[in-house]
Amino acid sequence: QVQLQESGPDLVKPSQRLSLTCTVSGDSITTSYYYWNWIRQPPGKGLEWMGAIARDGSIYYGPFFKSHTSISRDTSKNQFSLQLSSVTPEDTAVYYCARSRDLVSRFPTWDDFDYWGQGTQVTVSS
């Protein structure tokens, strides 16, 4: 069974960098034909697609996140990571990693993904 698990800080100060990691088990991020995504849900809002990484290492970013988001991977650990620079309180959200068969739209639905991490609440506050 495929499992994804997010890890990272739950509190970040404004202007700092947020780093999250997703550990995948039950599938390989380097051989699977799926995309490995980062998504977030701010309080009271819908899902926002931040970006994804494919098995060949190609990276795709959502249109709202191209300027201050970085996605990378550690193939030896079967992990992929998200870095968000210069965070503001508007970056407060539940952050998820998830697997999808296709690249998704900027506002995806839950059905666009077949496996999800449990999500991690990140609060940006001084």
Side-chain angles (χ1 to χ4, degrees):
Q1 182 174 349
V2 179
Q3 293 184 322
L4 297 91
Q5 178 68 58
E6 305 92 350
S7 59
D10 55 4
L11 179 65
V12 183
K13 293 183 178 180
S15 80
Q16 290 188 338
R17 174 177 293 180
L18 168 65
S19 295
L20 297 173
T21 296
C22 182
T23 301
V24 179
S25 60
D27 197 0
S28 169
I29 65 172
T30 58
T31 60
S32 170
Y33 282 90
Y34 291 87
Y35 293 91
W36 304 94
N37 298 268
W38 285 103
I39 310 103
R40 73 180 189 183
Q41 186 172 33
K45 298 184 179 180
L47 299 176
E48 299 176 346
W49 179 63
M50 304 183 72
I53 188 166
R55 66 180 187 135
D56 64 355
S58 298
I59 300 171
Y60 307 85
Y61 292 104
F64 298 136
F65 299 99
K66 290 180 180 178
S67 62
H68 63 294
T69 302
S70 177
I71 293 174
S72 61
R73 66 181 184 176
D74 185 336
T75 58
S76 68
K77 297 180 180 179
N78 210 35
Q79 295 176 333
F80 63 105
S81 297
L82 172 76
Q83 290 193 330
L84 194 62
S85 61
S86 303
V87 297
T88 71
E90 286 68 38
D91 293 309
T92 294
V94 179
Y95 287 76
Y96 298 93
C97 57
R99 191 183 81 166
S100 66
R101 182 174 295 278
D102 302 302
L103 285 175
V104 301
S105 68
R106 66 178 70 177
F107 298 118
T109 67
W110 297 99
D111 291 340
D112 287 326
F113 309 93
D114 58 355
Y115 288 99
W116 292 79
Q118 65 182 20
T120 184
Q121 172 70 51
V122 176
T123 301
V124 179
S125 175
S126 56

